[in-house]
Amino acid sequence: MSARILVIDDEESIRFTFERFLRGAGHIVATAASCSEALARLSEAEFDMVFADIILDDGTGIDILREIKGRGLSCPVIMITGDPGIVTATDSIRLGAFDYIAKPVNQESLLGLTRTALKYKILHEEKEKYRTNLEAIFRSVRDAIISVDKDAVLIEFNEAALTLCAYTRDDIGKPFLDLPVRCGGKCGEILAAAIQSGAPVEVDHIECQQGNRAARVVSVRTYPLLDLGGKPSGVVMVVRDDTHVADLERELTEHRQFHRIIGKSQPMQQVYSLIKALAVVQTTVLITGESGTGKELVAEALHLAGDRSHKPLVKVNCSALPENLLEAELFGHVKGSFTGAIRDNEGRFHRADGGTIFFDEIGDISPKIQVKLLRVLEESEFERVGSSVSTKVNVRLIAATNRNLQEKVQLGEMREDLYYRLKVVEIRLPPLRDRREDIPLLLEHFRDKFNTKFKKNITAVSSDVLKAFAKYPWPGNVRELEHTMEHAFVLCNQNIITFDHLPPDFMKIPGMRRSAGGEAQGIDSGATLEALNKTAWNKAKAARLLGIDRVTLYRRIKKFNLIEEPSRS
C-alpha cells in the first residue's frame, strides 16, 4: 500500500537513506531537517506515518510526538535513535510512539516496520470509527443504558441515564449497590440476578422515585457482556421510562377516555387497545369510519402515544385542494415552477420529517398524487415540484377515509398497490348508533366544553331529551351530537336542556316527540327514589341523573314524601 510518510532527521544522509528505501517501496516521502520545519510540514499536509529523530538541533523528536498527539493526529510515530538503549527511546514508547528504529538503518527492517505501522494505523482508525459510531448511538438512545463489570462496578452509562437515573460521572468506578437507591433496590437485585445467571432478565412496571420529583414507572432489560473468550464479563442494563405508557394504561382501565376520544363501550375499548398496540410501531395506519366518528382524534392519539410525539403532526385535508395545489402543498416547490411560485416553499412532508403526517379523506387524491405518495411510502423520498433533486424524509403516515377504498380500487379510481400500502393496519371506528351507551359520557364532555365556552352553568339534559338521544340514529355521528348540543346551549337560559332547545330539524325526525303532557309527566316516586339511592342521596348527582335541577328534585322529595333510609352496618 502507498502511504504519505514524513521523515525528520538533522542528518542529510539519514534523510536520503530513508527517502530512497521508502520511495523504492512505492511511498510518497517528505523530509524535514529540524523540529520547526517538521511542525510546518505537519500543518501543511496529512501524513500516514512519521519517522522522527529523537535528538534535533532545535528540539527533540519527543516534542514532535507530543505535538502530534496534542493535535489528535492518528499517524503512528516511529522514533529514530543512534542508541536504542537510552532512556529517551523507551520514554517515547511510553508517551505513545509506535516503535523505534536504530541507526544505521537496515532496508528490510525499515520496510517491515513501515508495513506493520501502516497496518496498525488502518486497524486503529477502523476501531476508532466503530467507537465513534457506537458513542453516537449510545448518546442518541432515549433509554438509559448502564454497564457494569462482573463485580457490579459501574463502568459506563449514556446521557439518558443522567436524567432518568440521576447518575454523575463521579459514579463511574463505584459499586452499583453503593449508589443512591431510587427504586427500592429493585435495579440492584435485577443486576445481581443477571450477573449470577448470565442470562437476560426482563422486569416491567418498576416505580422509581427521585427526591421531590414525581414517581416514574420504568421497565428494565439486562443482557450479558461477553469477553473475547465468550465468557461473561459483566452486564448491560437498559432502563426505559414507561410512565406515559402506564398513564395510558390507567386511562384504558378507566374505560371512559383515551386522549381526546370519549367512550366506554366495548367497540371503543377495542379501538383503544389497537391504538396502544400501534403507538410504538412505525407502520402505516388506515382509519376508516363514517363522517363525524372521530378519525382525526384517533390520528392524534396514535401520534401522541408514540415515540414521535415530540415531533410535528402535520395534517392534510385531501379534499380541500385541487390536484396542482395539493401536489405543491405536499411536496413543496421551487421558485418559478408554476405561475405564482415566487419563492421556494417547503412541503408538508418536509415539515413532518421525524414526525407524523395525517391524510384526511385519502380517497379523494388524484392518480398523479397517488403515484408520488406511493414512492414516498416505498422509498421515503420525493422531489419538490419543479426540481429533480430527491429529498429524504422519515415520516409516519396515517390516513383516514369515510369511503370504501376497495370499491374505488375495483372501479380503477385508486391504485391497488397504494391501497395495500395504506392498509397495513386498519382501525375501524364504530358509528355512534352502534355505541349508544357512550352518549351520556359524550353529553357530559360537551356540557363541560360549552359551559366554559358560553360561560353558562347548564347542569344536565332532561330525561326525555336523553331518551330521544338514545333512540336517534345520529347519521352525522359524534359531530352531529356536538353541534346539536352547541345549538341547545345557545338557546338554553336555564339549568336543564329540554326539547325546546333542540334544532327544529331534530324534532322532525319520526319518533322524536316529547312525552304526552310535557316532560315532567311520567316521573314517578320510584324513579326519583332509585336515583337518590344510586347516588347515596347526593342531591346534585341525583338531579343530574334524572335530568332536572335540584329545586325540582326537592319538590319531588316533598311531594312523594321520600325519606332516606338509615344505612345498615
Side-chain angles (χ1 to χ4, degrees), residues 12-62:
E12 185 176 358
S13 60
I14 297 295
R15 296 197 303 275
F16 175 82
T17 302
F18 270 78
E19 185 173 8
R20 182 165 62 87
F21 289 164
L22 292 172
R23 285 187 184 277
H27 299 296
I28 301 169
V29 182
T31 61
S34 64
C35 188
S36 57
E37 185 181 359
L39 295 178
R41 292 273 191 180
L42 288 169
S43 299
E44 294 167 356
E46 293 182 0
F47 294 94
D48 296 310
M49 66 180 298
V50 175
F51 289 91
D53 192 8
I54 289 181
I55 302 173
L56 298 167
D57 289 340
D58 59 345
T60 68
I62 301 295

Short mmCIF file of all heavy atoms in Angstrom, two decimals, residues 12-62:
data_model
loop_
_atom_site.label_atom_id
_atom_site.label_comp_id
_atom_site.label_asym_id
_atom_site.label_seq_id
_atom_site.Cartn_x
_atom_site.Cartn_y
_atom_site.Cartn_z
N GLU A 12 21.55 14.75 6.80
CA GLU A 12 21.06 14.64 5.43
C GLU A 12 21.18 13.22 4.91
O GLU A 12 20.32 12.74 4.17
CB GLU A 12 21.84 15.61 4.53
CG GLU A 12 21.31 15.63 3.11
CD GLU A 12 22.02 16.67 2.23
OE1 GLU A 12 22.90 17.37 2.77
OE2 GLU A 12 21.69 16.76 1.04
N SER A 13 22.24 12.52 5.31
CA SER A 13 22.45 11.16 4.81
C SER A 13 21.34 10.23 5.30
O SER A 13 20.89 9.34 4.57
CB SER A 13 23.82 10.63 5.27
OG SER A 13 23.89 10.62 6.69
N ILE A 14 20.88 10.45 6.55
CA ILE A 14 19.79 9.62 7.09
C ILE A 14 18.50 9.91 6.34
O ILE A 14 17.76 8.99 5.96
CB ILE A 14 19.61 9.87 8.60
CG1 ILE A 14 20.88 9.45 9.37
CG2 ILE A 14 18.39 9.13 9.13
CD1 ILE A 14 21.17 7.97 9.32
N ARG A 15 18.26 11.19 6.10
CA ARG A 15 17.05 11.55 5.37
C ARG A 15 17.07 10.94 3.97
O ARG A 15 16.06 10.42 3.48
CB ARG A 15 16.89 13.07 5.26
CG ARG A 15 16.71 13.77 6.59
CD ARG A 15 16.16 15.19 6.42
NE ARG A 15 16.98 16.04 5.57
CZ ARG A 15 18.03 16.74 5.97
NH1 ARG A 15 18.40 16.70 7.25
NH2 ARG A 15 18.69 17.51 5.12
N PHE A 16 18.25 10.98 3.32
CA PHE A 16 18.38 10.44 1.98
C PHE A 16 18.14 8.93 1.97
O PHE A 16 17.45 8.41 1.10
CB PHE A 16 19.80 10.75 1.43
CG PHE A 16 20.08 10.13 0.10
CD1 PHE A 16 19.63 10.73 -1.07
CD2 PHE A 16 20.77 8.91 0.01
CE1 PHE A 16 19.86 10.14 -2.30
CE2 PHE A 16 21.02 8.34 -1.21
CZ PHE A 16 20.56 8.96 -2.38
N THR A 17 18.73 8.23 2.96
CA THR A 17 18.57 6.77 3.03
C THR A 17 17.10 6.39 3.22
O THR A 17 16.57 5.52 2.53
CB THR A 17 19.40 6.21 4.19
OG1 THR A 17 20.79 6.56 3.98
CG2 THR A 17 19.27 4.70 4.28
N PHE A 18 16.43 7.03 4.18
CA PHE A 18 15.01 6.75 4.43
C PHE A 18 14.18 7.01 3.17
O PHE A 18 13.33 6.20 2.78
CB PHE A 18 14.49 7.63 5.57
CG PHE A 18 14.65 7.01 6.93
CD1 PHE A 18 15.88 6.99 7.57
CD2 PHE A 18 13.57 6.44 7.57
CE1 PHE A 18 16.02 6.43 8.82
CE2 PHE A 18 13.71 5.88 8.83
CZ PHE A 18 14.93 5.86 9.47
N GLU A 19 14.46 8.16 2.53
CA GLU A 19 13.65 8.54 1.37
C GLU A 19 13.84 7.54 0.24
O GLU A 19 12.88 7.14 -0.42
CB GLU A 19 14.05 9.95 0.91
CG GLU A 19 13.18 10.47 -0.23
CD GLU A 19 13.47 11.93 -0.55
OE1 GLU A 19 14.44 12.50 0.01
OE2 GLU A 19 12.71 12.50 -1.37
N ARG A 20 15.10 7.09 0.01
CA ARG A 20 15.37 6.15 -1.09
C ARG A 20 14.68 4.81 -0.85
O ARG A 20 14.03 4.26 -1.73
CB ARG A 20 16.89 5.97 -1.25
CG ARG A 20 17.27 5.05 -2.41
CD ARG A 20 18.75 5.22 -2.73
NE ARG A 20 19.58 4.85 -1.61
CZ ARG A 20 20.01 3.59 -1.36
NH1 ARG A 20 19.66 2.61 -2.17
NH2 ARG A 20 20.77 3.32 -0.34
N PHE A 21 14.81 4.29 0.38
CA PHE A 21 14.20 2.99 0.70
C PHE A 21 12.66 3.05 0.62
O PHE A 21 12.02 2.16 0.07
CB PHE A 21 14.62 2.53 2.09
CG PHE A 21 16.06 2.10 2.19
CD1 PHE A 21 16.67 1.99 3.43
CD2 PHE A 21 16.82 1.82 1.06
CE1 PHE A 21 18.00 1.60 3.55
CE2 PHE A 21 18.14 1.43 1.16
CZ PHE A 21 18.74 1.33 2.41
N LEU A 22 12.11 4.13 1.16
CA LEU A 22 10.64 4.23 1.22
C LEU A 22 10.03 4.51 -0.14
O LEU A 22 8.98 3.96 -0.50
CB LEU A 22 10.23 5.31 2.22
CG LEU A 22 10.55 4.99 3.70
CD1 LEU A 22 10.29 6.21 4.59
CD2 LEU A 22 9.72 3.80 4.18
N ARG A 23 10.71 5.39 -0.93
CA ARG A 23 10.22 5.65 -2.29
C ARG A 23 10.30 4.38 -3.13
O ARG A 23 9.44 4.12 -3.97
CB ARG A 23 11.02 6.77 -2.95
CG ARG A 23 10.68 8.15 -2.44
CD ARG A 23 11.40 9.22 -3.27
NE ARG A 23 11.17 10.56 -2.74
CZ ARG A 23 10.11 11.29 -3.01
NH1 ARG A 23 9.17 10.81 -3.83
NH2 ARG A 23 9.97 12.50 -2.48
N GLY A 24 11.37 3.60 -2.93
CA GLY A 24 11.51 2.34 -3.66
C GLY A 24 10.37 1.38 -3.37
O GLY A 24 10.04 0.52 -4.20
N ALA A 25 9.76 1.51 -2.21
CA ALA A 25 8.62 0.65 -1.85
C ALA A 25 7.29 1.25 -2.28
O ALA A 25 6.23 0.70 -1.98
CB ALA A 25 8.61 0.42 -0.34
N GLY A 26 7.33 2.40 -3.01
CA GLY A 26 6.10 2.99 -3.55
C GLY A 26 5.46 4.04 -2.68
O GLY A 26 4.32 4.46 -2.96
N HIS A 27 6.15 4.52 -1.64
CA HIS A 27 5.55 5.52 -0.76
C HIS A 27 5.91 6.94 -1.20
O HIS A 27 6.89 7.17 -1.91
CB HIS A 27 6.04 5.31 0.68
CG HIS A 27 5.66 3.95 1.23
ND1 HIS A 27 4.37 3.55 1.43
CD2 HIS A 27 6.46 2.89 1.61
CE1 HIS A 27 4.35 2.33 1.91
NE2 HIS A 27 5.61 1.90 2.03
N ILE A 28 5.09 7.89 -0.78
CA ILE A 28 5.35 9.31 -1.03
C ILE A 28 6.04 9.86 0.21
O ILE A 28 5.50 9.76 1.32
CB ILE A 28 4.03 10.07 -1.30
CG1 ILE A 28 3.32 9.47 -2.52
CG2 ILE A 28 4.29 11.55 -1.50
CD1 ILE A 28 1.90 9.98 -2.70
N VAL A 29 7.23 10.45 0.03
CA VAL A 29 8.05 10.81 1.19
C VAL A 29 8.32 12.31 1.19
O VAL A 29 8.65 12.91 0.16
CB VAL A 29 9.39 10.04 1.18
CG1 VAL A 29 10.22 10.40 2.42
CG2 VAL A 29 9.14 8.54 1.10
N ALA A 30 8.16 12.91 2.37
CA ALA A 30 8.56 14.30 2.61
C ALA A 30 9.58 14.29 3.74
O ALA A 30 9.53 13.42 4.63
CB ALA A 30 7.35 15.15 2.97
N THR A 31 10.51 15.24 3.72
CA THR A 31 11.56 15.25 4.76
C THR A 31 11.60 16.62 5.43
O THR A 31 11.17 17.63 4.87
CB THR A 31 12.94 14.93 4.15
OG1 THR A 31 13.27 15.92 3.18
CG2 THR A 31 12.94 13.54 3.51
N ALA A 32 12.17 16.61 6.65
CA ALA A 32 12.38 17.84 7.41
C ALA A 32 13.66 17.70 8.20
O ALA A 32 13.95 16.63 8.76
CB ALA A 32 11.19 18.10 8.34
N ALA A 33 14.45 18.81 8.26
CA ALA A 33 15.75 18.75 8.92
C ALA A 33 15.71 19.26 10.35
O ALA A 33 16.69 19.15 11.08
CB ALA A 33 16.78 19.54 8.12
N SER A 34 14.59 19.85 10.76
CA SER A 34 14.53 20.42 12.10
C SER A 34 13.12 20.27 12.66
O SER A 34 12.17 19.93 11.95
CB SER A 34 14.90 21.91 12.06
OG SER A 34 13.92 22.63 11.30
N CYS A 35 13.03 20.56 13.93
CA CYS A 35 11.74 20.46 14.63
C CYS A 35 10.75 21.48 14.05
O CYS A 35 9.59 21.15 13.79
CB CYS A 35 11.96 20.70 16.12
SG CYS A 35 10.50 20.40 17.13
N SER A 36 11.18 22.71 13.83
CA SER A 36 10.29 23.75 13.32
C SER A 36 9.82 23.43 11.91
O SER A 36 8.65 23.64 11.56
CB SER A 36 10.99 25.11 13.35
OG SER A 36 12.20 25.07 12.61
N GLU A 37 10.74 22.91 11.08
CA GLU A 37 10.36 22.55 9.71
C GLU A 37 9.36 21.39 9.72
O GLU A 37 8.42 21.36 8.93
CB GLU A 37 11.60 22.16 8.90
CG GLU A 37 11.29 21.89 7.43
CD GLU A 37 12.52 21.47 6.64
OE1 GLU A 37 13.61 21.41 7.22
OE2 GLU A 37 12.38 21.20 5.42
N ALA A 38 9.54 20.46 10.63
CA ALA A 38 8.62 19.31 10.74
C ALA A 38 7.22 19.76 11.13
O ALA A 38 6.23 19.29 10.56
CB ALA A 38 9.17 18.33 11.76
N LEU A 39 7.13 20.69 12.08
CA LEU A 39 5.81 21.17 12.51
C LEU A 39 5.11 21.91 11.39
O LEU A 39 3.89 21.83 11.24
CB LEU A 39 5.96 22.07 13.75
CG LEU A 39 6.48 21.37 15.02
CD1 LEU A 39 6.62 22.37 16.16
CD2 LEU A 39 5.55 20.24 15.43
N ALA A 40 5.90 22.63 10.58
CA ALA A 40 5.31 23.33 9.43
C ALA A 40 4.77 22.32 8.42
O ALA A 40 3.70 22.50 7.85
CB ALA A 40 6.37 24.23 8.78
N ARG A 41 5.54 21.24 8.18
CA ARG A 41 5.10 20.19 7.27
C ARG A 41 3.79 19.56 7.76
O ARG A 41 2.89 19.28 6.97
CB ARG A 41 6.17 19.11 7.16
CG ARG A 41 7.44 19.55 6.48
CD ARG A 41 7.35 19.37 4.98
NE ARG A 41 8.64 19.54 4.32
CZ ARG A 41 8.81 19.44 3.01
NH1 ARG A 41 7.76 19.23 2.23
NH2 ARG A 41 9.99 19.60 2.47
N LEU A 42 3.70 19.32 9.05
CA LEU A 42 2.50 18.70 9.62
C LEU A 42 1.28 19.60 9.50
O LEU A 42 0.14 19.12 9.43
CB LEU A 42 2.74 18.36 11.10
CG LEU A 42 3.69 17.19 11.37
CD1 LEU A 42 4.06 17.12 12.85
CD2 LEU A 42 3.05 15.87 10.93
N SER A 43 1.52 20.91 9.47
CA SER A 43 0.41 21.86 9.31
C SER A 43 -0.04 21.96 7.87
O SER A 43 -1.20 22.31 7.59
CB SER A 43 0.82 23.24 9.83
OG SER A 43 1.15 23.21 11.20
N GLU A 44 0.88 21.68 6.93
CA GLU A 44 0.58 21.84 5.51
C GLU A 44 -0.11 20.63 4.90
O GLU A 44 -0.89 20.76 3.95
CB GLU A 44 1.88 22.12 4.73
CG GLU A 44 2.53 23.46 5.08
CD GLU A 44 3.95 23.55 4.54
OE1 GLU A 44 4.44 22.56 3.96
OE2 GLU A 44 4.57 24.61 4.70
N ALA A 45 0.18 19.44 5.40
CA ALA A 45 -0.33 18.23 4.75
C ALA A 45 -0.60 17.15 5.81
O ALA A 45 -0.14 17.25 6.95
CB ALA A 45 0.66 17.72 3.71
N GLU A 46 -1.36 16.13 5.40
CA GLU A 46 -1.64 14.99 6.27
C GLU A 46 -0.69 13.86 5.93
O GLU A 46 -0.37 13.61 4.74
CB GLU A 46 -3.09 14.51 6.09
CG GLU A 46 -4.13 15.50 6.58
CD GLU A 46 -5.54 14.97 6.43
OE1 GLU A 46 -5.71 13.82 5.95
OE2 GLU A 46 -6.47 15.70 6.79
N PHE A 47 -0.21 13.16 6.95
CA PHE A 47 0.72 12.05 6.75
C PHE A 47 0.16 10.79 7.40
O PHE A 47 -0.53 10.84 8.41
CB PHE A 47 2.10 12.39 7.35
CG PHE A 47 2.78 13.51 6.63
CD1 PHE A 47 2.65 14.82 7.09
CD2 PHE A 47 3.53 13.28 5.50
CE1 PHE A 47 3.27 15.87 6.43
CE2 PHE A 47 4.17 14.32 4.84
CZ PHE A 47 4.04 15.62 5.29
N ASP A 48 0.50 9.66 6.77
CA ASP A 48 0.04 8.37 7.29
C ASP A 48 0.96 7.85 8.39
O ASP A 48 0.52 7.06 9.23
CB ASP A 48 -0.05 7.35 6.16
CG ASP A 48 -1.08 7.75 5.13
OD1 ASP A 48 -2.22 8.07 5.53
OD2 ASP A 48 -0.76 7.76 3.93
N MET A 49 2.22 8.26 8.37
CA MET A 49 3.13 7.90 9.46
C MET A 49 4.32 8.86 9.47
O MET A 49 4.58 9.56 8.48
CB MET A 49 3.58 6.45 9.37
CG MET A 49 4.44 6.10 8.18
SD MET A 49 4.91 4.35 8.18
CE MET A 49 5.87 4.26 9.69
N VAL A 50 5.03 8.88 10.61
CA VAL A 50 6.14 9.82 10.79
C VAL A 50 7.33 9.08 11.40
O VAL A 50 7.16 8.31 12.36
CB VAL A 50 5.73 10.98 11.73
CG1 VAL A 50 6.93 11.88 12.03
CG2 VAL A 50 4.59 11.79 11.12
N PHE A 51 8.52 9.32 10.81
CA PHE A 51 9.77 8.91 11.43
C PHE A 51 10.42 10.17 11.99
O PHE A 51 10.61 11.14 11.25
CB PHE A 51 10.72 8.25 10.41
CG PHE A 51 10.28 6.88 9.96
CD1 PHE A 51 9.46 6.72 8.85
CD2 PHE A 51 10.68 5.75 10.66
CE1 PHE A 51 9.08 5.44 8.43
CE2 PHE A 51 10.30 4.48 10.25
CZ PHE A 51 9.48 4.32 9.14
N ALA A 52 10.81 10.15 13.28
CA ALA A 52 11.39 11.35 13.89
C ALA A 52 12.62 10.99 14.71
O ALA A 52 12.57 10.10 15.58
CB ALA A 52 10.34 12.05 14.78
N ASP A 53 13.72 11.69 14.42
CA ASP A 53 14.94 11.51 15.21
C ASP A 53 14.70 12.06 16.62
O ASP A 53 14.06 13.11 16.79
CB ASP A 53 16.10 12.23 14.54
CG ASP A 53 17.44 11.84 15.15
OD1 ASP A 53 17.46 10.89 15.98
OD2 ASP A 53 18.44 12.47 14.79
N ILE A 54 15.20 11.36 17.62
CA ILE A 54 14.98 11.80 18.99
C ILE A 54 15.69 13.12 19.26
O ILE A 54 15.15 14.02 19.91
CB ILE A 54 15.43 10.72 19.99
CG1 ILE A 54 14.45 9.53 19.93
CG2 ILE A 54 15.53 11.27 21.40
CD1 ILE A 54 14.79 8.41 20.87
N ILE A 55 16.92 13.26 18.73
CA ILE A 55 17.71 14.47 19.01
C ILE A 55 17.80 15.32 17.75
O ILE A 55 18.30 14.87 16.72
CB ILE A 55 19.11 14.10 19.52
CG1 ILE A 55 19.01 13.24 20.79
CG2 ILE A 55 19.93 15.35 19.79
CD1 ILE A 55 20.33 12.69 21.28
N LEU A 56 17.28 16.56 17.84
CA LEU A 56 17.32 17.51 16.73
C LEU A 56 17.98 18.80 17.20
O LEU A 56 18.12 19.02 18.41
CB LEU A 56 15.90 17.80 16.22
CG LEU A 56 15.13 16.59 15.65
CD1 LEU A 56 13.66 16.94 15.49
CD2 LEU A 56 15.73 16.16 14.31
N ASP A 57 18.36 19.65 16.23
CA ASP A 57 19.06 20.87 16.59
C ASP A 57 18.20 21.81 17.43
O ASP A 57 18.67 22.43 18.39
CB ASP A 57 19.54 21.60 15.32
CG ASP A 57 20.68 20.85 14.64
OD1 ASP A 57 21.34 20.04 15.33
OD2 ASP A 57 20.90 21.08 13.43
N ASP A 58 16.93 21.99 17.06
CA ASP A 58 16.08 22.97 17.75
C ASP A 58 14.97 22.32 18.59
O ASP A 58 13.95 22.93 18.87
CB ASP A 58 15.45 23.91 16.72
CG ASP A 58 14.59 23.16 15.70
OD1 ASP A 58 14.72 21.90 15.62
OD2 ASP A 58 13.82 23.82 15.00
N GLY A 59 15.18 21.08 18.97
CA GLY A 59 14.19 20.40 19.80
C GLY A 59 14.45 18.92 19.81
O GLY A 59 15.58 18.47 19.53
N THR A 60 13.42 18.16 20.11
CA THR A 60 13.58 16.70 20.14
C THR A 60 12.41 16.06 19.42
O THR A 60 11.35 16.66 19.20
CB THR A 60 13.61 16.18 21.59
OG1 THR A 60 12.31 16.36 22.18
CG2 THR A 60 14.65 16.90 22.42
N GLY A 61 12.61 14.79 19.08
CA GLY A 61 11.51 14.01 18.50
C GLY A 61 10.37 13.82 19.48
O GLY A 61 9.21 13.66 19.07
N ILE A 62 10.70 13.87 20.77
CA ILE A 62 9.66 13.76 21.80
C ILE A 62 8.71 14.96 21.70
O ILE A 62 7.49 14.82 21.85
CB ILE A 62 10.29 13.70 23.21
CG1 ILE A 62 11.24 12.49 23.32
CG2 ILE A 62 9.19 13.62 24.26
CD1 ILE A 62 10.58 11.16 23.20
#
